[in-house]
CSV table of all heavy atoms in Angstrom, one decimal:
chain,number,residue,atom,x,y,z
B,5,GLU,N,5.2,2.0,-40.6
B,5,GLU,CA,5.4,3.3,-40.2
B,5,GLU,C,4.4,4.3,-41.0
B,5,GLU,O,4.3,4.2,-42.2
B,5,GLU,CB,6.8,3.8,-40.4
B,5,GLU,CG,7.2,4.9,-39.5
B,5,GLU,CD,8.7,4.9,-39.3
B,5,GLU,OE1,9.4,5.3,-40.3
B,5,GLU,OE2,9.3,4.5,-38.3
B,37,LYS,N,7.9,21.0,-46.6
B,37,LYS,CA,7.7,21.1,-48.0
B,37,LYS,C,7.8,22.6,-48.4
B,37,LYS,O,8.2,22.8,-49.6
B,37,LYS,CB,6.2,20.7,-48.3
B,37,LYS,CG,6.1,19.1,-48.4
B,37,LYS,CD,6.7,18.6,-49.6
B,37,LYS,CE,6.8,17.2,-49.6
B,37,LYS,NZ,5.5,16.4,-49.6
B,71,GLU,N,0.6,20.8,-51.0
B,71,GLU,CA,1.5,19.8,-50.5
B,71,GLU,C,1.7,19.8,-48.9
B,71,GLU,O,2.2,18.9,-48.3
B,71,GLU,CB,2.8,19.9,-51.1
B,71,GLU,CG,2.9,19.6,-52.6
B,71,GLU,CD,4.2,19.4,-53.1
B,71,GLU,OE1,4.9,18.4,-52.9
B,71,GLU,OE2,4.8,20.4,-53.7
B,76,TYR,N,3.4,25.6,-39.5
B,76,TYR,CA,4.1,26.2,-38.3
B,76,TYR,C,4.1,27.6,-38.4
B,76,TYR,O,4.6,28.2,-39.3
B,76,TYR,CB,5.6,25.6,-38.3
B,76,TYR,CG,6.4,26.1,-37.2
B,76,TYR,CD1,6.2,25.6,-35.9
B,76,TYR,CD2,7.3,27.1,-37.4
B,76,TYR,CE1,7.0,26.1,-34.8
B,76,TYR,CE2,8.1,27.7,-36.3
B,76,TYR,CZ,7.9,27.1,-35.1
B,76,TYR,OH,8.7,27.6,-34.1
B,105,THR,N,-1.9,33.8,-29.4
B,105,THR,CA,-2.3,35.1,-30.0
B,105,THR,C,-2.0,36.2,-29.0
B,105,THR,O,-1.2,35.9,-28.1
B,105,THR,CB,-3.8,35.0,-30.3
B,105,THR,OG1,-4.5,35.3,-29.0
B,105,THR,CG2,-4.3,33.8,-31.0
B,107,SER,N,-4.5,37.8,-27.3
B,107,SER,CA,-5.6,38.0,-26.5
B,107,SER,C,-6.4,36.7,-26.3
B,107,SER,O,-6.4,35.8,-27.2
B,107,SER,CB,-6.6,39.1,-27.0
B,107,SER,OG,-7.4,38.6,-28.1
B,127,GLU,N,-0.7,25.3,-29.3
B,127,GLU,CA,0.3,26.3,-29.2
B,127,GLU,C,1.6,25.5,-28.9
B,127,GLU,O,1.7,24.4,-28.3
B,127,GLU,CB,-0.1,27.1,-27.9
B,127,GLU,CG,0.9,28.3,-27.6
B,127,GLU,CD,0.5,29.0,-26.3
B,127,GLU,OE1,-0.4,28.5,-25.6
B,127,GLU,OE2,1.0,30.1,-26.1
B,137,VAL,N,10.5,16.4,-18.9
B,137,VAL,CA,9.3,16.9,-18.3
B,137,VAL,C,8.2,15.7,-18.2
B,137,VAL,O,7.4,15.7,-17.3
B,137,VAL,CB,8.8,18.0,-19.2
B,137,VAL,CG1,7.4,18.6,-18.7
B,137,VAL,CG2,9.7,19.2,-19.2
B,139,LYS,N,8.9,12.7,-17.6
B,139,LYS,CA,9.3,12.0,-16.5
B,139,LYS,C,8.7,12.6,-15.1
B,139,LYS,O,8.2,12.0,-14.3
B,139,LYS,CB,10.8,11.8,-16.3
B,139,LYS,CG,11.3,11.1,-15.1
B,139,LYS,CD,11.0,9.6,-15.2
B,139,LYS,CE,11.6,8.9,-14.0
B,139,LYS,NZ,11.2,7.5,-14.1
B,145,LYS,N,2.2,12.2,-11.1
B,145,LYS,CA,1.0,11.4,-11.2
B,145,LYS,C,1.0,10.1,-10.3
B,145,LYS,O,0.0,9.7,-9.7
B,145,LYS,CB,0.7,11.0,-12.6
B,145,LYS,CG,0.2,12.1,-13.5
B,145,LYS,CD,-0.7,11.7,-14.7
B,145,LYS,CE,-1.4,12.9,-15.2
B,145,LYS,NZ,-1.5,12.9,-16.7
B,151,LYS,N,0.8,15.3,-2.5
B,151,LYS,CA,-0.1,16.2,-3.1
B,151,LYS,C,0.7,17.5,-3.5
B,151,LYS,O,1.4,18.1,-2.7
B,151,LYS,CB,-1.2,16.6,-2.1
B,151,LYS,CG,-2.2,17.6,-2.7
B,151,LYS,CD,-3.3,17.9,-1.6
B,151,LYS,CE,-4.3,18.9,-2.1
B,151,LYS,NZ,-4.0,20.3,-2.1
B,155,VAL,N,3.8,25.5,-7.2
B,155,VAL,CA,4.8,25.6,-8.3
B,155,VAL,C,5.5,26.9,-8.3
B,155,VAL,O,4.9,27.9,-8.3
B,155,VAL,CB,4.0,25.3,-9.7
B,155,VAL,CG1,5.1,25.5,-10.9
B,155,VAL,CG2,3.4,23.9,-9.7
B,157,SER,N,8.2,28.9,-10.6
B,157,SER,CA,8.9,28.9,-12.0
B,157,SER,C,9.3,30.2,-12.3
B,157,SER,O,8.6,31.2,-12.2
B,157,SER,CB,7.9,28.3,-13.0
B,157,SER,OG,8.5,28.1,-14.2
B,159,PHE,N,11.7,32.5,-15.4
B,159,PHE,CA,12.4,32.6,-16.7
B,159,PHE,C,12.8,34.0,-17.0
B,159,PHE,O,11.9,34.9,-17.1
B,159,PHE,CB,11.5,32.0,-17.9
B,159,PHE,CG,12.2,31.8,-19.2
B,159,PHE,CD1,13.6,31.9,-19.3
B,159,PHE,CD2,11.5,31.5,-20.3
B,159,PHE,CE1,14.3,31.8,-20.5
B,159,PHE,CE2,12.1,31.4,-21.5
B,159,PHE,CZ,13.5,31.4,-21.7
B,166,VAL,N,22.1,41.2,-25.4
B,166,VAL,CA,22.1,40.8,-26.8
B,166,VAL,C,21.4,41.6,-27.7
B,166,VAL,O,21.4,41.5,-29.0
B,166,VAL,CB,21.5,39.3,-26.9
B,166,VAL,CG1,22.4,38.4,-26.2
B,166,VAL,CG2,20.1,39.3,-26.3
B,184,LEU,N,6.1,39.9,-20.8
B,184,LEU,CA,4.9,39.1,-20.6
B,184,LEU,C,4.5,38.2,-21.7
B,184,LEU,O,4.3,37.0,-21.4
B,184,LEU,CB,3.7,40.1,-20.2
B,184,LEU,CG,2.4,39.4,-19.8
B,184,LEU,CD1,2.5,38.7,-18.5
B,184,LEU,CD2,1.3,40.4,-19.8
B,191,PRO,N,6.7,30.1,-17.7
B,191,PRO,CA,6.2,29.9,-16.3
B,191,PRO,C,4.7,29.7,-16.1
B,191,PRO,O,4.4,28.8,-15.2
B,191,PRO,CB,6.8,31.0,-15.5
B,191,PRO,CG,7.3,32.0,-16.6
B,191,PRO,CD,7.6,31.3,-17.8
B,202,ALA,N,-6.9,24.9,-15.4
B,202,ALA,CA,-8.1,25.6,-14.9
B,202,ALA,C,-7.8,27.0,-14.9
B,202,ALA,O,-6.6,27.4,-15.0
B,202,ALA,CB,-8.4,25.1,-13.4
B,226,SER,N,1.4,36.0,-9.0
B,226,SER,CA,0.9,35.0,-7.9
B,226,SER,C,-0.4,34.4,-8.3
B,226,SER,O,-1.3,35.2,-8.7
B,226,SER,CB,0.8,35.7,-6.7
B,226,SER,OG,2.1,36.3,-6.2
B,235,ALA,N,0.9,29.2,-7.3
B,235,ALA,CA,2.0,29.3,-8.2
B,235,ALA,C,2.7,30.6,-8.0
B,235,ALA,O,2.0,31.6,-7.9
B,235,ALA,CB,1.6,29.2,-9.6
B,256,GLY,N,7.6,15.9,-0.9
B,256,GLY,CA,8.8,16.1,-1.7
B,256,GLY,C,8.7,17.1,-2.8
B,256,GLY,O,7.7,17.8,-2.8
B,302,GLY,N,24.0,25.5,-40.3
B,302,GLY,CA,24.1,26.6,-39.4
B,302,GLY,C,23.7,26.3,-37.9
B,302,GLY,O,23.7,27.3,-37.1
B,309,SER,N,17.4,23.7,-28.8
B,309,SER,CA,16.3,23.7,-29.9
B,309,SER,C,16.2,22.4,-30.5
B,309,SER,O,15.1,22.0,-31.1
B,309,SER,CB,16.7,24.8,-30.9
B,309,SER,OG,16.4,26.0,-30.5
B,310,ASN,N,17.2,21.5,-30.4
B,310,ASN,CA,17.0,20.2,-31.1
B,310,ASN,C,15.8,19.5,-30.4
B,310,ASN,O,15.3,18.6,-31.0
B,310,ASN,CB,18.3,19.3,-30.9
B,310,ASN,CG,18.3,18.3,-31.8
B,310,ASN,OD1,17.6,18.1,-32.9
B,310,ASN,ND2,19.2,17.2,-31.6
B,314,PHE,N,10.8,16.6,-30.3
B,314,PHE,CA,9.9,15.8,-29.4
B,314,PHE,C,8.5,16.3,-29.6
B,314,PHE,O,7.6,15.4,-29.8
B,314,PHE,CB,10.3,15.9,-27.9
B,314,PHE,CG,11.7,15.6,-27.6
B,314,PHE,CD1,12.5,16.4,-27.0
B,314,PHE,CD2,12.1,14.3,-28.0
B,314,PHE,CE1,13.9,16.1,-26.7
B,314,PHE,CE2,13.4,13.9,-27.6
B,314,PHE,CZ,14.3,14.7,-27.1
B,316,ALA,N,7.3,17.8,-32.3
B,316,ALA,CA,6.9,17.5,-33.7
B,316,ALA,C,6.5,16.1,-33.8
B,316,ALA,O,5.5,15.7,-34.4
B,316,ALA,CB,8.0,17.9,-34.7
B,318,ALA,N,5.4,14.1,-31.4
B,318,ALA,CA,4.2,13.9,-30.7
B,318,ALA,C,3.0,14.4,-31.5
B,318,ALA,O,1.9,13.7,-31.6
B,318,ALA,CB,4.1,14.6,-29.4
B,334,THR,N,-3.4,20.8,-24.0
B,334,THR,CA,-4.7,20.9,-24.6
B,334,THR,C,-5.2,22.3,-24.9
B,334,THR,O,-4.6,23.2,-24.5
B,334,THR,CB,-5.8,20.3,-23.6
B,334,THR,OG1,-5.9,21.2,-22.5
B,334,THR,CG2,-5.4,18.9,-23.1
B,335,PRO,N,-6.2,22.4,-25.9
B,335,PRO,CA,-6.7,23.7,-26.1
B,335,PRO,C,-7.2,24.4,-24.8
B,335,PRO,O,-7.1,25.6,-24.7
B,335,PRO,CB,-7.9,23.4,-27.1
B,335,PRO,CG,-7.5,22.1,-27.7
B,335,PRO,CD,-6.7,21.4,-26.7
Side-chain angles (χ1 to χ4, degrees):
Chain B
E5 205 159 76
K37 280 288 169 65
E71 290 192 81
Y76 175 76
T105 72
S107 79
E127 184 183 13
V137 178
K139 178 70 176 177
K145 285 205 168 142
K151 178 182 184 279
V155 172
S157 183
F159 188 12
V166 290
L184 185 64
S226 296
S309 280
N310 198 20
F314 303 125
T334 66

